[in-house]
Amino acid sequence: MSTQSKIEHSLNDLIEIARDGKDFYTEAAGKVKDPELSGLFTRIAGVKSDIVTRLSAVVAAAGGKPAEHGTMVGSMQQFYGKVRAALGDTNYGYVAELEESEDRLLKAFQETLTDADTPAAARVEAQDLLPRVRECHDVMRNRKHALKMAS
């Protein structure tokens, strides 16, 4: 496998999962009634958008084709979030699903970094973005726990 296709393979999964998150956060920001939560979702959607842009640039610079869509799992998760929100606690329903989305992205980043086949260019970019991924994950995990305690 060429370095180009290894970079494409390594980073396109991350691009797809980050795009899932961006789309889901954007949708959730428009659905929740709490302005503070909506603002948080919008801010994190922006972080996901930055991740997609930066990783896509690395794939393109290597001569590859950046992923242009999200994942099937992400679509199902978004659907489940809508159903859950429609059935009751909108804030908790969205936060719980978004936290799962954060778990997926963090796990994918960690797998990319521990995979011996990940090319250096992909590893450097993933390592550079990891603190932002971890921060979003922790914010949503803490928010989920706080909402659970409050109910």
Side-chain angles (χ1 to χ4, degrees):
M1 191 184 277
S2 70
T3 301
Q4 168 197 333
S5 54
K6 280 185 181 177
I7 288 175
E8 196 172 331
H9 176 76
S10 296
L11 296 184
N12 273 344
D13 285 349
L14 301 180
I15 290 169
E16 289 173 348
I17 296 169
R19 183 172 276 118
D20 287 344
K22 177 184 83 71
D23 294 347
F24 197 6
Y25 275 105
T26 300
E27 179 187 319
K31 300 279 192 210
V32 295
K33 307 281 188 272
D34 178 341
E36 189 270 335
L37 202 55
S38 178
L40 175 67
F41 291 171
T42 300
R43 182 177 70 79
I44 295 178
V47 172
K48 302 297 177 236
S49 184
D50 288 347
I51 290 170
V52 168
T53 300
R54 283 184 56 181
L55 295 177
S56 295
V58 173
V59 172
K65 181 167 176 24
E68 296 174 355
H69 305 287
T71 67
M72 179 53 105
V73 172
S75 300
M76 294 302 292
Q77 203 165 28
Q78 208 166 348
F79 173 74
Y80 184 64
K82 285 183 199 171
V83 169
R84 197 166 168 171
L87 294 175
D89 184 356
T90 307
N91 290 354
Y92 184 78
Y94 276 116
V95 169
E97 293 307 312
L98 288 165
E99 195 242 354
E100 279 187 34
S101 165
E102 292 296 338
D103 286 345
R104 274 183 69 218
L105 186 60
L106 181 58
K107 183 174 187 260
F109 263 80
Q110 290 167 336
E111 286 171 358
T112 296
L113 290 168
T114 57
D115 184 346
D117 288 340
T118 301
R123 187 179 307 279
V124 166
E125 197 64 30
Q127 189 67 53
D128 194 43
L129 289 167
L130 185 62
R132 294 175 78 191
V133 171
R134 206 173 264 135
E135 178 199 357
C136 291
H137 173 271
D138 293 351
V139 164
M140 292 311 293
R141 183 194 58 216
N142 295 342
R143 183 57 62 109
K144 182 177 126 181
H145 291 312
L147 284 171
K148 197 168 193 166
M149 297 297 280
S151 61

